[in-house]
Amino acid sequence: MTADTVLGPSTSDGQRPLRAWQSQALELYESARHDDFLVTATPGAGKTTFALTLASRLLARRVVDRVVVVAPTDHLRTQWAEAADAAGLVLDPTLTNAVGPVRPGTRGYVTTYAQVAGKPMLHAARATAARTLVVLDEVHHAGDGLSWGEAVEEAFARAARRLCLTGTPFRTTPGERIPFVRYAEGGADGELVSAADYTYGYREALRDGVVRPVVFAAYTGTARWRNSAGEVVAASLSEPSTRGQEATAWRTVLDPRGQWVPHVVAAMDERITHLRSHGVPDAAGLVLASDQEDARAYARIVKKVTGEAPELILSDDPRASARIEAFTASTKRIAVCVRMVSEGVDVPRAAVLAWMTSYRTPLFFAQAVGRVVRSRGPHEAATVFLPAVRPLLALAAELEQERNHVIPPPAQAGEDLDPLPRTERSGEGPAQWEALDADAQFAHVLHGGRAVLASDARAPAASAEEEEFLGLPGLLTPEQTAALLSRRDEDLRRRASSAVQEDLFGGLGDAAGAGSAGAGGSGGSAVEDGGRASWRAAADLRREVNRLVAQLAARTGEPHARVHVALRTAVPGPASASASQELLERRRDHLLSLL
C-alpha cells in the first residue's frame, strides 16, 4: 500500500496532508448543506484534524466567524487548544464562565460539557453573538437524559453550524436522544438508529494503516473466595458457570493479593520489552483499574514485578493532566489509571493495555482499546491482555463491527449492564464475598472473532525470526502467536510468583490475613491455611487438565465448554476448579486416553 492510498490532498495552510477519509468527509460536508453533521470515526483516526481543517475552511470562506469546541474533560480541552494552535487557530482554553464575552484576538474558545451545563445561556449568548461553528467532541456525553444534554441543546440550538464527533459506540437508556443527532427507523424491535453523516470504522482504518492491528490475549485462572456461608468456593474463569459465579470469579482474579494480577503484569512487561527492542523504543503500557484503591495496589505490584515505579494517574489528583502529559513525553514503561485515559487522551507510544477493571460496557471497552491503536508507523501492533470472561471476549470479538448509536428497548428485569459491584451485599449487612486467591494461565488469542488455542495442531513452532514479529497479523499466524505465548507462560508465572511472595504478601497480605481470620472464624482460617498448600499442589494438575481439554477441543472442533461438560459426565464430580487432586488425576488420565 502506498501513502497515496491513505493520504489525500494537503490542507490549505500547508499542514501535513489529510488522510483519505478526512478528505472524503470534507467533500461530503460541502455537499450536505445542513447545519448538523455527525462523524463517527474510530479512535485514533484523526477526528481532531478533520474538525480543525473544516473550521479553518469555514472561517476562511466567512461562513462562520467563531469556533467553539466542547470537550468531555479539562485535559482534552487543553489538548484541543494545542492542536488548534498547531493548525493556526487560536482557541482559548482558559475562558471560564466568570468571563462574559469571547476574548479579542482569538477565533473562539474550548470549553467542557460541565462548564456548558453550569451556564448554558452564557454560552448561548457567545454562540449567537457571531456566526459560530460548534464542535461537540464525544457527543455521546450530551444524551438529553443527563443535565449536560439539556444544557448543550439550550446553549447551541441557535448556533450557525454544529459538528458532532464520536469515536466509539455508546448506549443510552430508552427515551434518551442525543441533541443535534438525526435518527431513523430500522432497528430491531422498534429501535431508533442514529444516522451518521460519515462513518470511518476500525476495519477501514486498519486497512488504510491508520490504526494498529490489535491482538487480544485472554488469560484464564482459578479463583478462590469465601461466600456468605463461610464456604470456600473455587471456579475457573473459562469453565462453564452461572453469570453470578463468573462475576465473582472475575472480581477475585482482579484482587491485588492474588497471583493473577502480577502474572499478567509480567506478561505485559515482557511485551513492552519486546516492542522496545524491535522498532518501538519508547513503547509503553496502560493498566486500567476499577477504582483508586486497586490502582494504588496495582502500582505497587508493577514496581515489584518490573523494578520500575509506574506513573499513577488518579482523577482526584489535581496534577492528573500534568501526569498524563509527563507520561506521554517520558520513557516510563507503564501507567496505572482508573478512567483518566479511557477517552480521547492521546498517548501515541502506548501499545499495550492490561484490562484489570470490572467495567464491561461497549462504550468503555472501545474507548480504552482506542488508547493503544493509534499508529505511528508500519509494523506496529497493539496487545490487550484481558480476563477470559464472556462479556469481555464478546466485546473483543465485536470490535471490528460498525456500530452506530442504538437506543435499546427497556432492559429486562435482572439484566445487568453496569460495571460489576465491588462486593455482594445483603441489605445493609457486611460484604458477602471475600477474595482468597487466584492464579493465572494463558488461555488463547482472539483472531477474526474466534479463539485460537496454543494447542492447535496446525501451529508449527515459531522460529526465532517469527518470534520477533510476535502479535503482528500476517507475519506470525494466530496459532503461532498463541503457541508462543503459552510456551512463555510458565516463565512468567515463576517471575510473578517470586516477586509477589518476596514483598507483596508480606505487606498487602498482612491486612488480608487479619481480615480473613475475623471473617471466617477458626474454622475458616483452618480451611484457608491448611488448604492453601494442597490447592497450590493441585494447580499444576488443574492446568494440565485445561491444556488437555484445549488439545481435545482443537482436535475435535468442539467448544471448550462442551468438552468440559463431557469430561464431568465421564468422570463425575465438581467442576475442575473445585475438584480434589485425586479427581483431577482421574480426569487427566481420561483425557489422555482420548488423545
Side-chain angles (χ1 to χ4, degrees), residues 508-554:
L508 293 175
D510 291 342
S516 299
S522 58
S525 295
V527 171
E528 180 178 351
D529 298 338
R532 184 180 294 273
S534 61
W535 181 73
R536 292 291 188 195
D540 288 338
L541 262 178
R542 197 168 285 115
R543 282 191 288 270
E544 184 177 2
V545 167
N546 287 337
R547 282 195 294 268
L548 292 172
V549 166
Q551 290 179 13
L552 188 59

mmCIF file of all heavy atoms in Angstrom, residues 508-554:
data_model
loop_
_atom_site.group_PDB
_atom_site.id
_atom_site.type_symbol
_atom_site.label_atom_id
_atom_site.label_comp_id
_atom_site.label_asym_id
_atom_site.label_seq_id
_atom_site.Cartn_x
_atom_site.Cartn_y
_atom_site.Cartn_z
ATOM 1 N N LEU A 508 0.859 -6.360 51.659
ATOM 2 C CA LEU A 508 -0.577 -6.342 51.406
ATOM 3 C C LEU A 508 -1.283 -7.491 52.116
ATOM 4 O O LEU A 508 -2.425 -7.364 52.536
ATOM 5 C CB LEU A 508 -0.836 -6.462 49.893
ATOM 6 C CG LEU A 508 -0.404 -5.289 49.038
ATOM 7 C CD1 LEU A 508 -0.623 -5.622 47.574
ATOM 8 C CD2 LEU A 508 -1.126 -4.025 49.420
ATOM 9 N N GLY A 509 -0.589 -8.638 52.277
ATOM 10 C CA GLY A 509 -1.249 -9.818 52.815
ATOM 11 C C GLY A 509 -1.506 -9.752 54.296
ATOM 12 O O GLY A 509 -2.332 -10.492 54.813
ATOM 13 N N ASP A 510 -0.762 -8.888 55.051
ATOM 14 C CA ASP A 510 -0.968 -8.841 56.489
ATOM 15 C C ASP A 510 -2.384 -8.452 56.837
ATOM 16 O O ASP A 510 -3.061 -9.091 57.632
ATOM 17 C CB ASP A 510 0.023 -7.847 57.116
ATOM 18 C CG ASP A 510 1.460 -8.367 57.040
ATOM 19 O OD1 ASP A 510 1.632 -9.593 56.841
ATOM 20 O OD2 ASP A 510 2.380 -7.558 57.188
ATOM 21 N N ALA A 511 -2.831 -7.345 56.222
ATOM 22 C CA ALA A 511 -4.195 -6.884 56.494
ATOM 23 C C ALA A 511 -5.209 -7.895 56.002
ATOM 24 O O ALA A 511 -6.230 -8.145 56.637
ATOM 25 C CB ALA A 511 -4.430 -5.528 55.823
ATOM 26 N N ALA A 512 -4.905 -8.543 54.862
ATOM 27 C CA ALA A 512 -5.844 -9.527 54.325
ATOM 28 C C ALA A 512 -5.964 -10.713 55.263
ATOM 29 O O ALA A 512 -7.044 -11.250 55.487
ATOM 30 C CB ALA A 512 -5.370 -9.997 52.939
ATOM 31 N N GLY A 513 -4.828 -11.160 55.832
ATOM 32 C CA GLY A 513 -4.867 -12.294 56.718
ATOM 33 C C GLY A 513 -5.660 -12.012 57.963
ATOM 34 O O GLY A 513 -6.435 -12.841 58.436
ATOM 35 N N ALA A 514 -5.496 -10.784 58.507
ATOM 36 C CA ALA A 514 -6.254 -10.436 59.697
ATOM 37 C C ALA A 514 -7.737 -10.405 59.394
ATOM 38 O O ALA A 514 -8.565 -10.881 60.169
ATOM 39 C CB ALA A 514 -5.783 -9.074 60.229
ATOM 40 N N GLY A 515 -8.088 -9.867 58.226
ATOM 41 C CA GLY A 515 -9.497 -9.807 57.853
ATOM 42 C C GLY A 515 -10.068 -11.191 57.653
ATOM 43 O O GLY A 515 -11.201 -11.479 58.023
ATOM 44 N N SER A 516 -9.269 -12.115 57.065
ATOM 45 C CA SER A 516 -9.774 -13.458 56.821
ATOM 46 C C SER A 516 -10.061 -14.169 58.124
ATOM 47 O O SER A 516 -11.052 -14.869 58.276
ATOM 48 C CB SER A 516 -8.752 -14.259 56.007
ATOM 49 O OG SER A 516 -8.538 -13.649 54.759
ATOM 50 N N ALA A 517 -9.160 -13.994 59.115
ATOM 51 C CA ALA A 517 -9.362 -14.669 60.384
ATOM 52 C C ALA A 517 -10.616 -14.174 61.057
ATOM 53 O O ALA A 517 -11.386 -14.934 61.622
ATOM 54 C CB ALA A 517 -8.137 -14.439 61.280
ATOM 55 N N GLY A 518 -10.858 -12.869 60.960
ATOM 56 C CA GLY A 518 -12.040 -12.322 61.598
ATOM 57 C C GLY A 518 -13.304 -12.729 60.904
ATOM 58 O O GLY A 518 -14.324 -12.981 61.533
ATOM 59 N N ALA A 519 -13.250 -12.798 59.583
ATOM 60 C CA ALA A 519 -14.463 -13.080 58.830
ATOM 61 C C ALA A 519 -14.847 -14.532 58.897
ATOM 62 O O ALA A 519 -16.010 -14.886 58.981
ATOM 63 C CB ALA A 519 -14.264 -12.667 57.351
ATOM 64 N N GLY A 520 -13.845 -15.440 58.862
ATOM 65 C CA GLY A 520 -14.163 -16.847 58.749
ATOM 66 C C GLY A 520 -14.133 -17.582 60.063
ATOM 67 O O GLY A 520 -14.533 -18.736 60.139
ATOM 68 N N GLY A 521 -13.649 -16.991 61.151
ATOM 69 C CA GLY A 521 -13.544 -17.695 62.418
ATOM 70 C C GLY A 521 -12.451 -18.733 62.354
ATOM 71 O O GLY A 521 -11.687 -18.847 61.406
ATOM 72 N N SER A 522 -12.338 -19.547 63.394
ATOM 73 C CA SER A 522 -11.269 -20.530 63.450
ATOM 74 C C SER A 522 -11.392 -21.565 62.361
ATOM 75 O O SER A 522 -10.421 -21.988 61.760
ATOM 76 C CB SER A 522 -11.264 -21.205 64.837
ATOM 77 O OG SER A 522 -12.530 -21.817 65.074
ATOM 78 N N GLY A 523 -12.644 -21.994 62.080
ATOM 79 C CA GLY A 523 -12.830 -22.986 61.019
ATOM 80 C C GLY A 523 -12.410 -22.445 59.684
ATOM 81 O O GLY A 523 -11.754 -23.111 58.901
ATOM 82 N N GLY A 524 -12.770 -21.171 59.373
ATOM 83 C CA GLY A 524 -12.405 -20.580 58.080
ATOM 84 C C GLY A 524 -10.905 -20.466 57.950
ATOM 85 O O GLY A 524 -10.344 -20.708 56.890
ATOM 86 N N SER A 525 -10.214 -20.079 59.012
ATOM 87 C CA SER A 525 -8.772 -19.938 58.943
ATOM 88 C C SER A 525 -8.116 -21.272 58.675
ATOM 89 O O SER A 525 -7.153 -21.379 57.934
ATOM 90 C CB SER A 525 -8.239 -19.343 60.258
ATOM 91 O OG SER A 525 -8.715 -18.037 60.432
ATOM 92 N N ALA A 526 -8.651 -22.339 59.307
ATOM 93 C CA ALA A 526 -8.072 -23.656 59.088
ATOM 94 C C ALA A 526 -8.215 -24.074 57.639
ATOM 95 O O ALA A 526 -7.304 -24.636 57.042
ATOM 96 C CB ALA A 526 -8.742 -24.678 60.010
ATOM 97 N N VAL A 527 -9.377 -23.770 57.051
ATOM 98 C CA VAL A 527 -9.588 -24.119 55.647
ATOM 99 C C VAL A 527 -8.614 -23.373 54.772
ATOM 100 O O VAL A 527 -7.989 -23.929 53.870
ATOM 101 C CB VAL A 527 -11.034 -23.814 55.228
ATOM 102 C CG1 VAL A 527 -11.188 -23.957 53.733
ATOM 103 C CG2 VAL A 527 -11.992 -24.756 55.951
ATOM 104 N N GLU A 528 -8.439 -22.075 55.066
ATOM 105 C CA GLU A 528 -7.581 -21.269 54.203
ATOM 106 C C GLU A 528 -6.128 -21.660 54.355
ATOM 107 O O GLU A 528 -5.418 -21.880 53.386
ATOM 108 C CB GLU A 528 -7.756 -19.788 54.534
ATOM 109 C CG GLU A 528 -6.887 -18.898 53.658
ATOM 110 C CD GLU A 528 -7.108 -17.436 53.972
ATOM 111 O OE1 GLU A 528 -8.024 -17.126 54.717
ATOM 112 O OE2 GLU A 528 -6.335 -16.625 53.448
ATOM 113 N N ASP A 529 -5.622 -21.763 55.612
ATOM 114 C CA ASP A 529 -4.210 -22.023 55.826
ATOM 115 C C ASP A 529 -3.841 -23.448 55.446
ATOM 116 O O ASP A 529 -2.820 -23.708 54.832
ATOM 117 C CB ASP A 529 -3.853 -21.767 57.296
ATOM 118 C CG ASP A 529 -4.088 -20.313 57.677
ATOM 119 O OD1 ASP A 529 -4.113 -19.487 56.757
ATOM 120 O OD2 ASP A 529 -4.252 -20.031 58.876
ATOM 121 N N GLY A 530 -4.724 -24.396 55.845
ATOM 122 C CA GLY A 530 -4.431 -25.781 55.521
ATOM 123 C C GLY A 530 -4.662 -26.098 54.063
ATOM 124 O O GLY A 530 -4.003 -26.962 53.494
ATOM 125 N N GLY A 531 -5.620 -25.419 53.477
ATOM 126 C CA GLY A 531 -5.969 -25.718 52.099
ATOM 127 C C GLY A 531 -5.069 -25.066 51.084
ATOM 128 O O GLY A 531 -5.019 -25.484 49.942
ATOM 129 N N ARG A 532 -4.353 -24.001 51.497
ATOM 130 C CA ARG A 532 -3.559 -23.271 50.516
ATOM 131 C C ARG A 532 -2.479 -24.151 49.893
ATOM 132 O O ARG A 532 -2.270 -24.153 48.686
ATOM 133 C CB ARG A 532 -2.918 -22.043 51.167
ATOM 134 C CG ARG A 532 -2.142 -21.185 50.171
ATOM 135 C CD ARG A 532 -1.536 -19.983 50.859
ATOM 136 N NE ARG A 532 -2.555 -19.071 51.352
ATOM 137 C CZ ARG A 532 -3.093 -18.107 50.619
ATOM 138 N NH1 ARG A 532 -2.749 -17.968 49.360
ATOM 139 N NH2 ARG A 532 -3.991 -17.309 51.133
ATOM 140 N N ALA A 533 -1.807 -24.996 50.753
ATOM 141 C CA ALA A 533 -0.728 -25.822 50.214
ATOM 142 C C ALA A 533 -1.270 -26.851 49.232
ATOM 143 O O ALA A 533 -0.716 -27.048 48.150
ATOM 144 C CB ALA A 533 0.016 -26.495 51.354
ATOM 145 N N SER A 534 -2.364 -27.537 49.600
ATOM 146 C CA SER A 534 -2.913 -28.545 48.707
ATOM 147 C C SER A 534 -3.470 -27.914 47.444
ATOM 148 O O SER A 534 -3.396 -28.506 46.360
ATOM 149 C CB SER A 534 -3.996 -29.353 49.415
ATOM 150 O OG SER A 534 -5.058 -28.506 49.816
ATOM 151 N N TRP A 535 -4.036 -26.713 47.587
ATOM 152 C CA TRP A 535 -4.555 -26.029 46.394
ATOM 153 C C TRP A 535 -3.412 -25.668 45.455
ATOM 154 O O TRP A 535 -3.514 -25.825 44.245
ATOM 155 C CB TRP A 535 -5.317 -24.784 46.834
ATOM 156 C CG TRP A 535 -5.906 -24.015 45.693
ATOM 157 C CD1 TRP A 535 -6.970 -24.375 44.940
ATOM 158 C CD2 TRP A 535 -5.457 -22.769 45.184
ATOM 159 N NE1 TRP A 535 -7.227 -23.424 43.985
ATOM 160 C CE2 TRP A 535 -6.314 -22.424 44.125
ATOM 161 C CE3 TRP A 535 -4.428 -21.893 45.535
ATOM 162 C CZ2 TRP A 535 -6.162 -21.258 43.405
ATOM 163 C CZ3 TRP A 535 -4.272 -20.725 44.821
ATOM 164 C CH2 TRP A 535 -5.129 -20.423 43.764
ATOM 165 N N ARG A 536 -2.300 -25.200 46.036
ATOM 166 C CA ARG A 536 -1.142 -24.908 45.197
ATOM 167 C C ARG A 536 -0.632 -26.172 44.520
ATOM 168 O O ARG A 536 -0.251 -26.165 43.359
ATOM 169 C CB ARG A 536 -0.017 -24.304 46.053
ATOM 170 C CG ARG A 536 -0.316 -22.936 46.591
ATOM 171 C CD ARG A 536 -0.342 -21.926 45.482
ATOM 172 N NE ARG A 536 -0.452 -20.583 46.012
ATOM 173 C CZ ARG A 536 -0.786 -19.537 45.279
ATOM 174 N NH1 ARG A 536 -1.042 -19.682 44.005
ATOM 175 N NH2 ARG A 536 -0.864 -18.338 45.817
ATOM 176 N N ALA A 537 -0.625 -27.284 45.278
ATOM 177 C CA ALA A 537 -0.120 -28.535 44.714
ATOM 178 C C ALA A 537 -1.007 -29.016 43.578
ATOM 179 O O ALA A 537 -0.532 -29.615 42.613
ATOM 180 C CB ALA A 537 -0.043 -29.596 45.803
ATOM 181 N N ALA A 538 -2.324 -28.748 43.676
ATOM 182 C CA ALA A 538 -3.255 -29.190 42.637
ATOM 183 C C ALA A 538 -3.289 -28.252 41.435
ATOM 184 O O ALA A 538 -3.868 -28.595 40.400
ATOM 185 C CB ALA A 538 -4.669 -29.312 43.215
ATOM 186 N N ALA A 539 -2.665 -27.087 41.569
ATOM 187 C CA ALA A 539 -2.734 -26.106 40.486
ATOM 188 C C ALA A 539 -2.111 -26.637 39.200
ATOM 189 O O ALA A 539 -2.637 -26.434 38.109
ATOM 190 C CB ALA A 539 -2.048 -24.804 40.910
ATOM 191 N N ASP A 540 -0.973 -27.340 39.329
ATOM 192 C CA ASP A 540 -0.335 -27.885 38.129
ATOM 193 C C ASP A 540 -1.233 -28.912 37.451
ATOM 194 O O ASP A 540 -1.344 -28.947 36.217
ATOM 195 C CB ASP A 540 1.005 -28.516 38.493
ATOM 196 C CG ASP A 540 2.053 -27.482 38.846
ATOM 197 O OD1 ASP A 540 1.889 -26.315 38.427
ATOM 198 O OD2 ASP A 540 3.018 -27.835 39.542
ATOM 199 N N LEU A 541 -1.878 -29.764 38.254
ATOM 200 C CA LEU A 541 -2.806 -30.740 37.685
ATOM 201 C C LEU A 541 -3.959 -30.053 36.975
ATOM 202 O O LEU A 541 -4.388 -30.460 35.887
ATOM 203 C CB LEU A 541 -3.354 -31.641 38.799
ATOM 204 C CG LEU A 541 -2.700 -33.019 38.994
ATOM 205 C CD1 LEU A 541 -3.356 -33.727 40.167
ATOM 206 C CD2 LEU A 541 -2.818 -33.844 37.720
ATOM 207 N N ARG A 542 -4.477 -29.001 37.594
ATOM 208 C CA ARG A 542 -5.614 -28.279 37.017
ATOM 209 C C ARG A 542 -5.228 -27.658 35.681
ATOM 210 O O ARG A 542 -5.984 -27.692 34.708
ATOM 211 C CB ARG A 542 -6.080 -27.211 38.014
ATOM 212 C CG ARG A 542 -7.465 -26.667 37.757
ATOM 213 C CD ARG A 542 -7.939 -25.848 38.937
ATOM 214 N NE ARG A 542 -8.333 -26.693 40.054
ATOM 215 C CZ ARG A 542 -7.711 -26.705 41.231
ATOM 216 N NH1 ARG A 542 -6.664 -25.942 41.435
ATOM 217 N NH2 ARG A 542 -8.137 -27.491 42.206
ATOM 218 N N ARG A 543 -4.021 -27.084 35.626
ATOM 219 C CA ARG A 543 -3.559 -26.501 34.367
ATOM 220 C C ARG A 543 -3.358 -27.588 33.312
ATOM 221 O O ARG A 543 -3.637 -27.378 32.130
ATOM 222 C CB ARG A 543 -2.260 -25.715 34.607
ATOM 223 C CG ARG A 543 -2.473 -24.358 35.239
ATOM 224 C CD ARG A 543 -1.199 -23.530 35.207
ATOM 225 N NE ARG A 543 -0.209 -24.046 36.152
ATOM 226 C CZ ARG A 543 -0.115 -23.648 37.417
ATOM 227 N NH1 ARG A 543 -0.947 -22.750 37.882
ATOM 228 N NH2 ARG A 543 0.829 -24.144 38.211
ATOM 229 N N GLU A 544 -2.864 -28.763 33.749
ATOM 230 C CA GLU A 544 -2.670 -29.854 32.790
ATOM 231 C C GLU A 544 -4.005 -30.320 32.228
ATOM 232 O O GLU A 544 -4.130 -30.577 31.024
ATOM 233 C CB GLU A 544 -1.945 -31.016 33.462
ATOM 234 C CG GLU A 544 -1.617 -32.146 32.494
ATOM 235 C CD GLU A 544 -0.835 -33.269 33.155
ATOM 236 O OE1 GLU A 544 -0.587 -33.190 34.374
ATOM 237 O OE2 GLU A 544 -0.490 -34.227 32.450
ATOM 238 N N VAL A 545 -5.017 -30.423 33.078
ATOM 239 C CA VAL A 545 -6.352 -30.803 32.608
ATOM 240 C C VAL A 545 -6.859 -29.781 31.595
ATOM 241 O O VAL A 545 -7.408 -30.136 30.545
ATOM 242 C CB VAL A 545 -7.325 -30.939 33.798
ATOM 243 C CG1 VAL A 545 -8.767 -31.025 33.305
ATOM 244 C CG2 VAL A 545 -6.979 -32.164 34.629
ATOM 245 N N ASN A 546 -6.670 -28.503 31.900
ATOM 246 C CA ASN A 546 -7.127 -27.455 30.977
ATOM 247 C C ASN A 546 -6.394 -27.537 29.643
ATOM 248 O O ASN A 546 -6.985 -27.332 28.575
ATOM 249 C CB ASN A 546 -6.925 -26.080 31.611
ATOM 250 C CG ASN A 546 -7.924 -25.794 32.712
ATOM 251 O OD1 ASN A 546 -9.004 -26.381 32.737
ATOM 252 N ND2 ASN A 546 -7.583 -24.914 33.628
ATOM 253 N N ARG A 547 -5.084 -27.822 29.701
ATOM 254 C CA ARG A 547 -4.331 -27.951 28.452
ATOM 255 C C ARG A 547 -4.837 -29.140 27.629
ATOM 256 O O ARG A 547 -4.963 -29.061 26.403
ATOM 257 C CB ARG A 547 -2.838 -28.102 28.747
ATOM 258 C CG ARG A 547 -2.136 -26.808 29.106
ATOM 259 C CD ARG A 547 -0.624 -26.952 29.019
ATOM 260 N NE ARG A 547 -0.114 -27.887 30.024
ATOM 261 C CZ ARG A 547 0.296 -27.539 31.237
ATOM 262 N NH1 ARG A 547 0.236 -26.264 31.591
ATOM 263 N NH2 ARG A 547 0.763 -28.434 32.074
ATOM 264 N N LEU A 548 -5.121 -30.237 28.306
ATOM 265 C CA LEU A 548 -5.621 -31.411 27.596
ATOM 266 C C LEU A 548 -7.009 -31.158 27.011
ATOM 267 O O LEU A 548 -7.323 -31.617 25.909
ATOM 268 C CB LEU A 548 -5.643 -32.609 28.545
ATOM 269 C CG LEU A 548 -4.272 -33.124 28.997
ATOM 270 C CD1 LEU A 548 -4.428 -34.188 30.073
ATOM 271 C CD2 LEU A 548 -3.481 -33.666 27.816
ATOM 272 N N VAL A 549 -7.846 -30.431 27.749
ATOM 273 C CA VAL A 549 -9.156 -30.055 27.223
ATOM 274 C C VAL A 549 -8.976 -29.207 25.964
ATOM 275 O O VAL A 549 -9.680 -29.387 24.956
ATOM 276 C CB VAL A 549 -9.974 -29.297 28.288
ATOM 277 C CG1 VAL A 549 -11.176 -28.601 27.658
ATOM 278 C CG2 VAL A 549 -10.446 -30.252 29.379
ATOM 279 N N ALA A 550 -8.025 -28.267 26.008
ATOM 280 C CA ALA A 550 -7.779 -27.417 24.840
ATOM 281 C C ALA A 550 -7.321 -28.252 23.648
ATOM 282 O O ALA A 550 -7.739 -28.022 22.508
ATOM 283 C CB ALA A 550 -6.745 -26.353 25.184
ATOM 284 N N GLN A 551 -6.448 -29.238 23.903
ATOM 285 C CA GLN A 551 -5.978 -30.091 22.808
ATOM 286 C C GLN A 551 -7.129 -30.899 22.204
ATOM 287 O O GLN A 551 -7.235 -31.015 20.978
ATOM 288 C CB GLN A 551 -4.896 -31.031 23.326
ATOM 289 C CG GLN A 551 -3.595 -30.333 23.672
ATOM 290 C CD GLN A 551 -2.557 -31.307 24.218
ATOM 291 O OE1 GLN A 551 -2.727 -32.524 24.112
ATOM 292 N NE2 GLN A 551 -1.505 -30.781 24.812
ATOM 293 N N LEU A 552 -7.974 -31.436 23.067
ATOM 294 C CA LEU A 552 -9.102 -32.221 22.573
ATOM 295 C C LEU A 552 -10.087 -31.340 21.808
ATOM 296 O O LEU A 552 -10.640 -31.753 20.778
ATOM 297 C CB LEU A 552 -9.789 -32.914 23.747
ATOM 298 C CG LEU A 552 -10.888 -33.939 23.383
ATOM 299 C CD1 LEU A 552 -10.308 -35.056 22.517
ATOM 300 C CD2 LEU A 552 -11.516 -34.508 24.650
ATOM 301 N N ALA A 553 -10.303 -30.106 22.307
ATOM 302 C CA ALA A 553 -11.202 -29.180 21.609
ATOM 303 C C ALA A 553 -10.661 -28.835 20.230
ATOM 304 O O ALA A 553 -11.402 -28.781 19.239
ATOM 305 C CB ALA A 553 -11.394 -27.915 22.447
ATOM 306 N N ALA A 554 -9.340 -28.614 20.143
ATOM 307 C CA ALA A 554 -8.732 -28.289 18.853
ATOM 308 C C ALA A 554 -8.829 -29.457 17.887
ATOM 309 O O ALA A 554 -9.045 -29.283 16.684
ATOM 310 C CB ALA A 554 -7.278 -27.880 19.061
#
